[in-house]
Amino acid sequence: MGVPDTSTPPQPLEEQWPRIRATIADATGILVCLDFDGTLAPIVEDPDAAMPTDRNREAVAMLVEIPSVTTAVISGRALSDVRQRLEGPSIYAGNHGLELARDGDVSVHPVAREHAARIERLCAVLELALASVPNCRIENKRLTGTVHFRSVPSAAIPTVRRITHDVVDRVGGDALEISPGKQILEIGPDLAWGKGDAVEMIAADEPSETVVIYVGDDVTDESAFQTVEPDGLGIRVGGDEPSSASARVESPVDVADFLSWLGSTGVDLLE
């Protein structure tokens, strides 16, 4: 779950069109890997209420029907959670790629499986330790856990961070680590694994000369951007913060525009 170093801001997508067209024209197929929250679905106060926009749902459905395109959703959510929020793609990766569903099978990283009971215990302790913090939410995703503080009063956020680190040190020891996200703290096994590794596994099963596109919005997506660039295309959703992605769009609305273009026009560029 480590985060690679980044140094340069991605360019607006419209400045990348010549490169995008040329990259697709040199390919025989496209692997489209999509984050969920902040990418297909707008960020909302209550994570349980997050759903993809209608246009993103329609664009993904269009891509799923194209034989030369493989569509995958790669999320920090639990696999069972993200699968029920968006139907259609043939591949889903949950918990930042620690669990992967494809070809009718589900595989789980063995180290993550080994520490599932520890994650369960950790989330239970955090529930008690952070119970007095208004609007702080603990999400147990079986293989990882998330502390959500988007709606926590700003004055209480340092307390959330301090208590979370103390509890992880006490319960997790050297087995667990904390990774930052957008107004969340992600807790998972201390191992060199992230969304980029999931992208590599998925791409390995694709035909040669397949171009890989990854769209995401958070620091946990940086390893995936680093994996697909520069031969493929990483698209960061949000501001112009430094990133391993080469292109950026502003919001899930722009993601829908890009996916719709890809499904209606971009595939025509394939060899």
Side-chain angles (χ1 to χ4, degrees):
M1 293 173 67
V3 178
D5 292 333
T6 58
S7 58
T8 58
Q11 295 181 325
L13 183 66
E14 55 267 25
E15 297 180 17
Q16 290 282 314
W17 281 122
R19 175 187 168 228
I20 293 170
R21 291 176 180 274
T23 300
I24 293 175
D26 289 339
T28 56
I30 305 173
L31 170 60
V32 182
C33 298
L34 304 164
D35 175 41
F36 185 79
D37 292 280
T39 299
L40 295 175
I43 296 292
V44 292
E45 290 294 323
D46 179 5
D48 288 339
M51 293 299 289
T53 66
D54 289 342
R55 290 192 61 232
N56 270 319
R57 192 188 302 275
E58 292 164 2
V60 169
M62 181 193 310
L63 292 174
V64 167
E65 295 300 319
I66 300 173
S68 56
V69 177
T70 300
T71 308
V73 175
I74 302 177
S75 175
R77 289 178 179 267
L79 179 62
S80 59
D81 184 349
V82 72
R83 289 181 81 171
Q84 60 93 19
R85 293 177 190 273
L86 179 69
E87 297 181 355
S90 58
I91 301 171
Y92 293 85
N95 276 301
H96 306 282
L98 292 175
E99 46 186 351
L100 180 63
R102 54 179 173 174
D103 302 325
D105 294 324
V106 176
S107 59
V108 178
H109 194 291
V111 175
R113 190 193 302 273
E114 176 185 342
H115 292 303
R118 193 186 298 259
I119 290 288
E120 180 86 22
R121 186 164 63 254
L122 174 78
C123 289
V125 174
L126 284 171
E127 287 278 5
L128 293 174
L130 293 168
S132 63
V133 179
N135 303 321
C136 186
R137 178 173 178 269
I138 312 304
E139 183 182 8
N140 179 1
K141 300 181 291 187
R142 194 172 71 87
L143 303 180
T144 67
T146 303
V147 178
H148 297 266
F149 54 86
R150 177 173 300 277
S151 301
V152 169
S154 57
I157 292 177
T159 299
V160 172
R161 294 185 183 275
R162 176 181 55 79
I163 291 176
T164 300
H165 279 269
D166 289 347
V167 171
V168 171
D169 287 344
R170 178 160 49 91
V171 177
D174 295 332
L176 303 180
E177 66 172 357
I178 299 175
S179 298
K182 287 186 175 179
Q183 296 180 298
I184 60 173
L185 294 172
E186 294 275 11
I187 305 159
D190 185 7
L191 73 162
W193 188 267
K195 290 183 176 181
D197 299 281
V199 172
E200 284 187 357
M201 288 181 62
I202 295 167
D205 285 344
E206 293 297 305
S208 60
E209 307 305 323
T210 295
V211 62
V212 184
I213 298 172
Y214 187 92
V215 190
D217 78 309
D218 209 343
V219 292
T220 55
D221 298 300
E222 289 297 329
S223 66
F225 295 144
Q226 194 172 65
T227 294
V228 304
E229 295 279 3
D231 296 330
L233 174 68
I235 301 176
R236 172 77 176 265
V237 184
D240 59 356
E241 300 91 348
S243 173
S244 294
S246 60
R248 67 178 175 88
V249 296
E250 293 293 334
S251 72
V253 172
D254 303 306
V255 174
D257 288 340
F258 173 72
L259 297 181
S260 296
W261 173 86
L262 194 62
S264 61
T265 304
V267 293
D268 293 336
L269 300 173
L270 290 171
E271 289 184 336

